Amino acid sequence: MIVKQIWTGNAYRNFNYLIACGETGEALAIDPLDHEKCLKTAKDEGWDITQILNTHEHGDHTGGNDAMVRQTGARILAHKDAADKIPGMARALSAGDVVKVGKTVELEVLDTPGHTMCHVCLLSHTDRPALFSGDTLFNAGAGNCHHGGHPSALYKTFSDQLARLSPATAVYPGHDYIENNLRFTLSREPDNEQAQAMLDRLASQDPNHAYVSTLEVEMQINTFFRLTSPTVIAKLRESFPDLPDQPDPRTVFLKLRELRNQW
Ligand SMILES: [Zn+2]
């Protein structure tokens, strides 16, 4: 499996992806908003884009579909419940489905509601697993729930699915928000030394060569995985004085999501 992360350089800070089979040169484009950059990358590598995967229905993820389909004839894949929201969908995806790219690449579909209620992530079962997480999981952050999502569903996705994946899983999100997210983590947990060290290191990173984290790293630097941290809980109590001594992780997650909206 060959992965190309493509930095769009747009105001929304989108990352697009190409996933290719090294044997056949067939490629899958994830959320190819910047269809021109994606097509140029594929051409430079000698790849044929035969499939488009939309992680969800938002325009900054689907906006490149039409042009990409016109130029490649690629089929559009997305969550089964997105069919009335994404024009031209050719394959409706459910949890556990397998997306094949060429002869060598197989990606498992995860049904990951929360940011929207028809969001999928793709998981590779390669030696080093990889998660293409769209707007569900960001580096050091979580998706918002403003446009068709639900915070409780997002919590369940984090706790029941993402937190159970192999710690070695590489994380490829839909946007470059790491700097801002690390600042939020530090506002909630000022003694998080790993987050501070990473912010010092990445504050001026070139998104064309972005740092790729793992779930193991996310467990250290992502507030939304640090729901039992005594500092996170103590700090949360400053905003929510009624918080019990040992709040359940779901409550902590929902309060953090609420604070992140206002931050
Ligand atoms: Zn979105």
Side-chain angles (χ1 to χ4, degrees), residues 7-254:
W7 166 238
T8 60
N10 68 354
Y12 299 112
R13 307 190 67 82
N14 290 82
F15 280 132
N16 300 170
Y17 294 92
L18 295 181
I19 300 176
C21 167
E23 232 173 82
T24 67
E26 285 162 82
L28 167 90
I30 299 184
D31 295 338
L33 175 67
D34 194 333
H35 50 93
E36 286 175 358
K37 261 189 198 170
C38 290
L39 285 165
K40 179 171 188 318
T41 303
K43 193 170 173 229
D44 291 348
E45 299 289 337
W47 296 341
D48 281 324
I49 297 173
T50 54
Q51 300 177 86
I52 296 167
L53 181 286
N54 289 141
T55 56
H56 63 292
E57 71 273 27
H58 287 160
D60 61 318
H61 295 257
T62 60
N65 286 4
D66 287 355
M68 179 71 81
V69 169
R70 263 200 311 277
Q71 295 190 56
T72 63
R75 304 172 74 220
I76 299 171
L77 290 64
H79 191 285
K80 59 180 169 41
D81 297 336
D84 59 347
K85 301 179 180 82
I86 300 178
M89 241 176 79
R91 184 177 171 195
L93 301 173
S94 302
D97 285 355
V98 174
V99 173
K100 293 185 180 176
V101 186
K103 284 187 188 161
T104 58
V105 180
E106 291 196 354
L107 300 155
E108 179 189 348
V109 175
L110 308 184
D111 188 345
T112 53
H115 174 64
T116 75
M117 298 311 278
C118 25
H119 191 299
V120 292
C121 295
L122 291 182
L123 177 68
S124 78
H125 293 278
T126 31
D127 290 344
R128 187 191 180 211
L131 178 73
F132 299 89
S133 59
D135 288 2
T136 298
L137 170 67
F138 297 124
N139 296 127
N144 69 51
C145 306
H146 302 318
H147 304 286
H150 206 290
S152 299
L154 189 64
Y155 168 69
K156 212 166 150 36
T157 290
F158 267 64
S159 64
D160 295 2
Q161 298 193 66
L162 304 185
R164 293 179 187 177
L165 299 177
S166 160
T169 305
V171 176
Y172 292 102
H175 295 264
D176 172 39
Y177 292 156
I178 190 165
E179 183 179 342
N180 213 12
N181 284 340
L182 284 170
R183 292 188 197 283
F184 180 70
T185 288
L186 286 164
S187 78
R188 296 287 96 216
E189 196 182 6
D191 59 359
N192 187 324
E193 288 172 15
Q194 286 101 325
Q196 185 62 59
M198 190 168 290
L199 181 61
D200 293 344
R201 195 155 53 86
L202 297 183
S204 54
Q205 79 162 342
D206 174 2
N208 286 298
H209 305 280
Y211 167 72
V212 177
S213 77
T214 60
L215 279 176
E216 186 175 19
V217 170
E218 293 299 327
M219 297 297 163
Q220 299 297 319
I221 62 162
N222 191 325
T223 311
F224 294 93
F225 283 124
R226 300 186 59 73
L227 309 174
T228 56
S229 150
T231 309
V232 168
I233 292 168
K235 199 96 179 98
L236 209 53
R237 192 166 292 110
E238 293 173 12
S239 309
F240 303 97
D242 294 342
L243 207 66
D245 273 352
Q246 306 230 307
D248 68 280
R250 180 176 177 278
T251 303
V252 176
F253 185 97
L254 297 179

